[in-house]
């Protein structure tokens, strides 16, 4: 197939990240061309403040070097600006008189810094802080001049001011508001921040509006509307940015504050898309990296032809990147009428924490002095976790913090929010690749590779990994003592070499024990069944069986379990069960916790005739399979309506019948928040709420009780079924044999699981494979009987 021509206008972070996602999804689909107005490779603009502060270099902030462009056959034109888009003929014109046609076009022109429209703004020494050239000019100026004024008390202004201070300049921050960072901090946190920065040497002027910039050729002083003025050799304007929409404005593309796009980042003109700071989505313009990366993922899938859920916006969080100052803010921080808050202010240690709630959910947080809770709190806000049953003050960790707070984080918890990198991913990368520095971790995992706000946390984790206290080794263990290969390596070889039987796997892969063992044989059989759904494990495996109609007991008799979906039955079924029990002398019967009637003590000679007379489907959930769904029936638990939950349970059992899994999967469906089925401690649990169904995953009610994590909230039964079925299929395909759902989620990360399931294209593919596999296995159902005591098939 002929490749389409994809052109990206803008060589910045948002646009190139979108290209990275496209290359990941469909590397052979497009011939790619990128235009960048700046004469540089793709670099991390957010890290310019770190360069200015002396903590990194220009080379260190390059995201993709020339080799990356070459490896992906990307045509890059730096220092070249696109002037016009002829959308009718799908042709571009640049400032170097270059004309280039396109099939698909992505506009990622970013934003331009706002320059105050005051007299003298064009004098030498008045600059913005946006590019590598701006940063270099500030460094050069500091070598010859001493007095600097930074106009703007937001994040960028403070980071620029601290950088100039580190360069030896006398710095004053001028702000038109009452306190610093008013878009991210409440007044208490802002005053604490001001006090800390004053200790470091910065000075501040508040509620000042610039009237004019004075001097002959070069700036000499700044005059304010209240009649005061202050001396200056350098003025840095950090008063905000505006979407760069100039190109779109002259090309017939709809604009407002930014380029108007829908949830799929499409403009009003076919085949033209936009992403990043130049975009206006649902009335919002974003300037932080996380939403830009989120947009890039959605656009990449859309442009590659996948069906998916559109971009719905991003919960914003901010961390100030100034050495020695810990500040974090996320979500709502000012208490409106509907919001309530809890605050802790430790003036002795300079620690302030504020949590903001809307009814039973955490919706915002401000942390100063100790931001070790930020990952945990951000996750609670993103998940919209209900905290009504939690003592609110326990949401705060010890005020003095825990030097090894990273030690208490679970492996699935996110360290780098921008790139979605979990703690376990970093540990695995460090152990596997021998990483010893934050820079190495960044190159290997992308953690701290965007805004850089998580760099201290990555450093803490790396220090913890290298300490004597660290005991979280994520080892790649061999499958068993029969081989030195890991499970991943065995599965890879099975696929690569086309191995189709247990014996062939052990022979070709040079098993030490030629007969295998009770660990590897069932594992190989399971993986063969996943790779080749038509594989009939009974041909090879002597230790397990996937389907059965009866279970043999120690005394040689059998147990038969008539199928009752969701625990529901009828008078006719009960009559049939009673009649076969009387006819074949079955006196030992019981209703079990799985809501089924077990007919025990069936003699082998009676088995076939008894099943024929029963004339009912039998339940076959023995071993590592999806188990029967537990429900909460009756009004002894509560009087909530149970009909909808029963229908859901029945539908799930029918959709998931006969499916083998890496480990037993237990499910529960509770009609309401009374949680009568114990859904929060199941592998998959569903709880009815007033607005839909909460789906929990990864729980366990065994010896080591584990509470499930909230996966999502769905309003319709069909959506719940699809999410659960796709979750189970993804677990079947990616978990190790005998790895429980909770362990699997901890290893791969709940955020990653969500990304897979919420992508409609991926979800539909998972559902298709699950249904095909289920139908194949159903065809073989009823052909086998499992021997429990002897581990041999009868």
């Amino acid at each position: 197939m002929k490749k389409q021509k994809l052109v990206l206008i803008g060589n910045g972070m948002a646009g190139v990240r979108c290209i990275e996602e496209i290359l990941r999804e469909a590397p052979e689909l497009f011939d790619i061309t990128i235009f960048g107005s700046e004469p540089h490779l793709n670099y991390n603009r957010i890290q310019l403040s770190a360069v200015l502060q002396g903590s990194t270099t220009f080379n260190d902030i390059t995201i993709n070097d020339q080799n990356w462009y070459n490896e992906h056959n990307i045509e890059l034109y730096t220092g070249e600006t696109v002037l016009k888009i002829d959308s009718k003929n799908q042709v571009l014109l640049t400032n170097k008189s270059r004309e280039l046609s396109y099939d698909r076009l992505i506009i990622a022109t970013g934003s331009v810094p706002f320059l105050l429209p005051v007299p003298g703004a064009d004098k030498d020494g008045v600059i913005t802080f946006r590019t590598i050239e701006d940063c270099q000019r500030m460094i050069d100026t500091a070598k010859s001049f001493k007095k600097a004024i930074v106009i703007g008390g937001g994040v960028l202004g403070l980071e620029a001011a601290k950088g100039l201070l580190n360069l030896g300049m006398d710095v004053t921050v001028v702000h038109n508001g009452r306190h610093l960072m008013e878009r991210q901090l409440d007044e208490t946190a802002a005053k604490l921040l001001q006090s800390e920065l004053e200790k470091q040497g910065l000075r501040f002027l508040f509620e000042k509006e610039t009237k004019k910039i004075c001097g002959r050729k070069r700036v000499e002083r700044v005059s304010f509307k209240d009649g005061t003025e202050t001396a200056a050799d350098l003025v840095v304007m950090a008063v905000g940015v505006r979407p760069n929409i100039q190109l779109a404005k002259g090309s017939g593309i709809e604009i407002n504050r930014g380029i108007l796009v829908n949830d799929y980042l499409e403009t009003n003109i076919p085949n033209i898309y936009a992403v990043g700071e130049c975009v206006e989505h649902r009335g919002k313009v974003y300037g932080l990296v996380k939403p830009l990366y989120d947009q890039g993922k959605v656009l990449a899938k859309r442009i590659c032809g996948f069906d998916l859920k559109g971009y719905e916006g991003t919960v914003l969080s901010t961390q100030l990147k100034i050495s020695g100052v810990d500040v974090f803010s996320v979500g709502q921080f000012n208490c409106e009428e509907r919001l309530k808050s809890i605050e802790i202010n430790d003036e002795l240690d300079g620690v302030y924490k504020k949590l903001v709630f809307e009814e039973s959910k955490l919706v915002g947080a401000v942390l100063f002095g100790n931001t070790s809770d930020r990952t945990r709190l951000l996750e609670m806000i993103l998940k919209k976790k209900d905290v009504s049953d939690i003592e609110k003050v326990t949401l705060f960790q010890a005020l003095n913090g825990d030097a090894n707070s990273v030690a208490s984080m679970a492996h699935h918890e996110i360290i780098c929010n921008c790139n979605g990198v979990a703690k376990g991913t970093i540990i695995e990368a460090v152990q596997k690749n021998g990483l010893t520095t934050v820079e190495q971790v960044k190159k290997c995992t992308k953690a701290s590779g965007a805004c850089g706000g998580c760099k201290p946390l990555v450093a803490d984790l790396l220090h913890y990994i290298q300490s004597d206290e660290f005991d979280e080794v994520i080892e790649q263990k061999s499958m068993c003592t029969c081989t030195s290969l890991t499970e991943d390596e065995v599965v890879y070889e099975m696929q690569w070499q086309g191995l189709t039987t247990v014996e062939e796997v052990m022979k070709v892969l040079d098993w030490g024990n030629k007969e295998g063992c009770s660990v590897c044989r069932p594992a190989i059989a399971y993986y063969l069944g996943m790779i080749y759904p038509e594989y009939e494990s009974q041909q090879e495996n002597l230790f397990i069986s996937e389907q059965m109609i009866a279970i043999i007991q120690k005394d040689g008799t059998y147990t038969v379990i008539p199928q009752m979906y969701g625990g529901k039955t009828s008078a006719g079924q009960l009559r049939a069960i009673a009649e076969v029990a009387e006819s074949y002398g079955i006196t030992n019967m019981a209703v079990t916790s799985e809501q089924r009637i077990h007919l025990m003590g069936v003699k082998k000679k009676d088995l076939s005739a008894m099943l024929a007379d029963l004339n009912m489907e039998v339940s076959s959930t023995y071993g590592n399979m999806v188990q029967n769904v537990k429900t909460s029936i009756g009004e002894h638990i509560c009087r909530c309506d149970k009909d909808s939950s029963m229908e859901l349970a029945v539908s799930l059992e029918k959709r998931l019948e006969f499916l083998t899994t890496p480990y037993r999967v237990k499910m529960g469906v509770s009609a309401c928040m009374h949680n009568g089925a114990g859904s929060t401690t199941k592998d998959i649990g569903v709880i009815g709420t007033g607005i839909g169904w909460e789906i929990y995953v990864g729980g366990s009610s065994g010896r080591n009780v584990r509470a499930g994590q909230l996966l999502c909230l769905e309003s319709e039964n069909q959506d719940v079924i699809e999410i659960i079925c796709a979750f189970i299929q993804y677990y079947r395909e990616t978990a190790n044999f005998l790895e429980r759902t909770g362990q699997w989620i901890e290893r791969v990360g709940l955020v990653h699981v969500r990304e897979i399931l919420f992508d409609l294209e991926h979800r539909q593919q998972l559902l298709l494979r699950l249904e095909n596999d289920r139908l194949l296995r159903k065809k073989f159902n009823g052909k086998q009987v499992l021997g429990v005591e002897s581990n041999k098939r009868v």
Side-chain angles (χ1 to χ4, degrees):
M1 183 178 67
K2 184 180 178 181
K3 289 186 177 182
Q4 297 184 58
K5 294 180 181 179
L6 172 64
V7 177
L8 169 66
I9 303 175
N11 192 34
M13 296 176 68
V16 176
R17 181 56 177 267
C18 182
I19 295 297
E20 290 177 351
E21 296 290 340
I22 289 171
L23 292 171
R24 186 177 295 113
E25 296 288 348
E28 301 300 324
L29 194 57
F30 297 105
D31 280 327
I32 301 172
T33 302
I34 299 178
F35 288 96
S37 294
E38 294 185 54
H40 309 289
L41 298 170
N42 174 231
Y43 68 91
N44 190 336
R45 194 182 305 279
I46 302 170
Q47 290 297 307
L48 286 174
S49 59
V51 174
L52 194 62
Q53 293 174 37
S55 59
T56 190
T57 67
F58 286 122
N59 288 336
D60 291 335
I61 66 173
T62 297
I63 299 175
N64 294 301
D65 60 19
Q66 187 62 52
N67 289 332
W68 179 82
Y69 293 90
N70 296 340
E71 288 170 3
H72 294 95
N73 297 314
I74 295 174
E75 191 74 39
L76 174 64
Y77 297 104
T78 59
E80 188 164 350
T81 303
V82 175
L83 299 178
K84 184 179 179 181
I85 302 171
D86 180 353
S87 58
K88 182 178 181 180
N89 297 305
Q90 298 198 165
V91 174
L92 305 176
L93 176 66
T94 76
N95 63 339
K96 295 185 178 180
S97 300
R98 190 189 311 274
E99 289 190 359
L100 187 70
S101 63
Y102 66 85
D103 296 307
R104 305 289 183 93
L105 176 66
I106 300 174
I107 302 175
T109 47
S111 59
V112 291
F114 180 64
L115 200 64
L116 290 177
V118 297
D122 56 348
K123 292 186 182 297
D124 290 346
V126 180
I127 63 174
T128 56
F129 185 26
R130 181 68 181 171
T131 66
I132 285 179
E133 286 72 25
D134 293 335
C135 192
Q136 188 62 59
R137 286 172 65 190
M138 293 164 72
I139 293 172
D140 294 340
T141 300
K143 296 175 183 178
S144 305
F145 298 92
K146 290 302 178 186
K147 290 187 178 295
I149 286 182
V150 176
I151 302 177
V155 174
L156 187 62
L158 294 179
E159 291 176 353
K162 182 59 190 298
L164 293 170
L165 185 70
N166 288 356
L167 291 170
M169 297 195 77
D170 180 2
V171 185
T172 299
V173 176
V174 176
H175 191 51
N176 63 0
R178 294 177 55 192
H179 63 77
L180 300 173
M181 292 177 63
E182 65 268 17
R183 293 185 179 180
Q184 292 87 22
L185 302 180
D186 63 3
E187 190 167 358
T188 302
K191 293 298 183 185
L192 289 169
L193 173 61
Q194 177 186 338
S195 177
E196 178 60 37
L197 293 176
E198 286 175 340
K199 291 176 185 178
Q200 296 187 15
L202 290 178
R203 287 196 288 269
F204 297 93
L205 295 174
F206 292 100
E207 297 184 88
K208 294 283 187 179
E209 291 189 49
T210 303
K211 181 179 181 181
K212 61 180 178 178
I213 297 172
C214 307
R216 295 182 180 179
K217 186 178 179 182
R218 183 178 184 86
V219 58
E220 296 175 6
R221 63 189 184 279
V222 177
S223 176
F224 304 107
K225 289 183 179 181
D226 62 3
T228 61
E229 61 182 28
T230 186
D233 302 312
L234 172 68
V235 174
V236 178
M237 289 197 185
V239 291
V241 294
R242 291 180 173 178
N244 185 358
I245 58 177
Q246 196 61 38
L247 177 63
K249 186 183 297 185
S251 303
I253 299 171
E254 289 184 358
I255 58 172
N256 187 32
R257 285 190 300 156
I259 299 172
L260 296 176
V261 296
N262 61 17
D263 290 354
Y264 301 102
L265 290 305
E266 298 165 328
T267 70
N268 63 303
I269 296 181
N271 297 323
I272 298 182
Y273 311 82
V275 68
E277 291 177 297
C278 63
V279 157
E280 181 178 340
H281 172 261
R282 295 189 182 182
K284 288 186 178 181
V285 174
Y286 294 97
L288 300 177
V289 68
K290 180 62 166 62
L292 310 188
Y293 281 3
D294 290 344
Q295 291 174 6
K297 287 184 179 180
V298 171
L299 175 53
K301 293 182 184 300
R302 184 66 167 185
I303 213 167
C304 290
F306 296 118
D307 291 329
L308 76 158
K309 192 175 184 180
Y311 176 66
E312 297 182 338
T314 303
V315 176
L316 300 180
S317 63
T318 302
Q319 182 162 355
L320 192 61
K321 297 176 287 299
I322 293 180
S323 177
V325 180
D326 291 326
V327 182
F328 176 78
S329 171
V330 59
Q332 301 278 351
F333 62 89
N334 285 322
C335 283
E336 303 169 7
E337 186 175 336
R338 73 183 193 281
L339 305 178
K340 304 294 181 183
S341 68
I342 301 175
E343 299 177 23
I344 296 179
N345 192 355
D346 180 0
E347 294 182 353
L348 292 177
D349 291 328
V351 174
Y352 172 71
K353 298 185 178 184
K354 177 180 181 179
L355 303 184
V356 181
F357 300 87
E358 183 174 6
E359 296 180 347
S360 61
K361 291 182 172 58
L362 182 67
V363 295
V366 175
L367 308 176
F368 178 88
N370 174 12
T371 61
S372 59
D373 295 344
R374 64 184 181 273
T375 300
R376 181 170 57 89
L377 296 175
L378 178 59
E379 187 174 21
M380 292 175 71
I381 293 171
L382 292 175
K383 290 181 179 179
K384 299 181 180 179
K385 185 175 181 180
D386 190 314
V387 295
S388 55
D389 295 331
I390 300 176
E391 187 72 29
K392 303 302 181 293
V393 75
T394 62
L395 295 175
F396 296 98
Q397 293 182 342
L399 283 180
N400 291 329
D402 180 357
N404 277 330
S405 61
V406 290
S408 62
M409 293 175 65
H411 285 175
H412 69 272
E413 289 191 63
I414 298 298
I415 295 286
C416 177
N417 186 50
C418 294
N419 290 305
V421 184
K423 173 185 174 181
T425 301
I426 296 176
I427 293 176
E428 186 173 1
V430 169
Q431 293 176 342
K432 187 175 181 180
N433 302 295
L435 310 180
T436 59
T437 67
V438 173
E439 186 64 24
Q440 290 173 340
V441 171
K442 181 177 76 173
K443 289 182 178 178
C444 185
T445 67
K446 287 188 177 291
S448 78
C451 77
C454 65
K455 192 172 183 178
L457 193 58
V458 175
D460 288 345
L461 178 56
L462 196 57
H463 179 73
Y464 168 57
I465 294 172
Q466 295 166 348
S467 71
D468 294 334
E469 300 175 11
F470 181 69
D471 59 356
E472 301 181 39
V473 178
I474 301 177
E475 295 185 53
Q476 291 290 318
K477 297 179 180 179
S478 62
M479 176 178 277
C480 65
T481 57
C482 302
T483 178
S484 60
L485 298 175
T486 66
E487 290 194 47
D488 288 342
E489 290 169 336
V490 171
V491 172
Y492 174 80
E493 293 297 334
M494 288 164 64
Q495 293 174 300
W496 179 254
Q497 300 192 45
L499 308 179
T500 58
T501 67
V502 173
E503 297 299 335
E504 186 179 17
V505 170
M506 294 189 294
K507 180 179 180 180
V508 173
L509 301 185
D510 196 23
W511 241 236
N513 177 1
K514 303 303 180 183
E515 297 297 321
C517 65
S518 59
V519 175
C520 62
R521 289 189 70 99
I524 295 171
Y526 173 77
Y527 292 132
L528 285 171
M530 290 307 301
I531 298 169
Y532 312 108
E534 69 280 2
Y535 170 74
E536 295 184 51
S537 62
Q538 70 268 27
Q539 294 177 354
E540 300 295 331
N541 181 22
L542 300 178
F543 292 89
I544 66 168
S545 173
E546 294 182 337
Q547 320 292 346
M548 56 280 175
I549 56 173
I551 303 171
I552 188 170
Q553 303 301 321
K554 294 180 181 179
D555 61 1
T557 62
Y558 293 84
T559 294
V560 174
I561 309 169
Q563 179 61 279
M564 300 173 181
Y565 293 112
K568 297 177 67 174
T569 186
S570 65
Q573 288 181 334
L574 292 175
R575 191 176 297 109
I577 293 171
E579 288 175 355
V580 297
E582 289 180 349
S583 298
Y584 294 94
I586 302 170
T587 58
N588 195 1
M589 296 183 289
V591 179
T592 65
S593 61
E594 63 174 358
Q595 301 166 170
R596 299 294 188 276
I597 295 175
H598 285 214
L599 304 177
M600 296 171 280
V602 180
K603 297 174 183 177
K604 183 178 181 181
K605 66 182 181 64
D606 296 333
L607 186 59
S608 296
M610 178 249 181
L611 288 170
D613 290 346
L614 182 63
N615 193 28
M616 286 178 62
E617 293 184 39
V618 293
S619 176
S620 51
T621 60
Y622 185 87
N624 296 321
M625 303 180 72
V626 179
Q627 305 296 294
N628 293 319
V629 179
K630 182 165 185 187
T631 58
S632 51
I633 304 174
E635 296 188 357
H636 62 288
I637 297 174
C638 68
R639 297 191 176 186
C640 300
D641 179 30
K642 307 291 194 306
D643 291 342
S644 184
S645 64
M646 289 299 300
E647 290 175 8
L648 183 58
V650 170
S651 297
L652 284 170
E653 285 192 349
K654 290 182 176 180
R655 284 286 294 271
L656 298 169
E657 200 174 20
F658 314 121
L659 288 175
T660 57
T661 49
Y663 197 83
R664 289 188 302 277
V665 173
K666 295 183 178 181
M667 294 193 293
V669 177
S670 299
C672 62
M673 298 303 289
H674 292 109
N675 194 18
S679 300
T680 52
T681 52
K682 296 288 191 291
D683 292 282
I684 302 170
V686 182
I687 300 178
T689 69
I691 57 175
W693 300 98
E694 290 182 344
I695 303 176
Y696 293 83
V697 292
S700 173
S701 59
R703 183 175 178 182
N704 298 313
V705 178
R706 178 201 288 260
Q709 301 179 69
L710 181 62
L711 176 67
C712 62
L713 176 68
E714 298 292 342
S715 58
E716 302 295 332
N717 280 22
Q718 186 58 37
D719 294 331
V720 174
I721 293 169
E722 286 194 2
I723 287 288
I724 289 176
C725 289
F727 174 88
I728 288 176
Q729 182 64 13
Y730 194 55
Y731 167 61
R732 296 175 73 223
E733 293 179 359
T734 60
N736 295 325
F737 186 64
L738 299 185
E739 184 176 32
R740 300 189 178 198
T741 56
Q743 297 169 322
W744 171 69
I745 290 171
E746 188 170 303
R747 177 168 62 84
V748 303
L750 185 61
V751 172
H752 169 72
V753 175
R754 285 197 187 109
E755 288 178 343
I756 295 297
L757 300 186
F758 296 167
D759 183 314
L760 294 181
E761 178 72 18
H762 281 154
R763 190 197 305 175
Q764 292 305 316
Q765 291 175 358
L766 289 168
L767 292 173
L768 179 62
R769 292 198 293 271
L770 178 138
E771 183 62 15
N772 290 339
D773 201 0
R774 186 187 74 85
L775 293 175
L776 277 170
R777 293 173 187 280
K778 185 175 183 178
K779 189 169 73 172
F780 296 120
N781 186 46
K783 294 182 180 179
Q784 302 172 47
V785 180
L786 180 72
V788 176
E789 178 65 17
S790 64
N791 280 332
K792 290 183 179 179
R793 187 162 26 288
V794 176

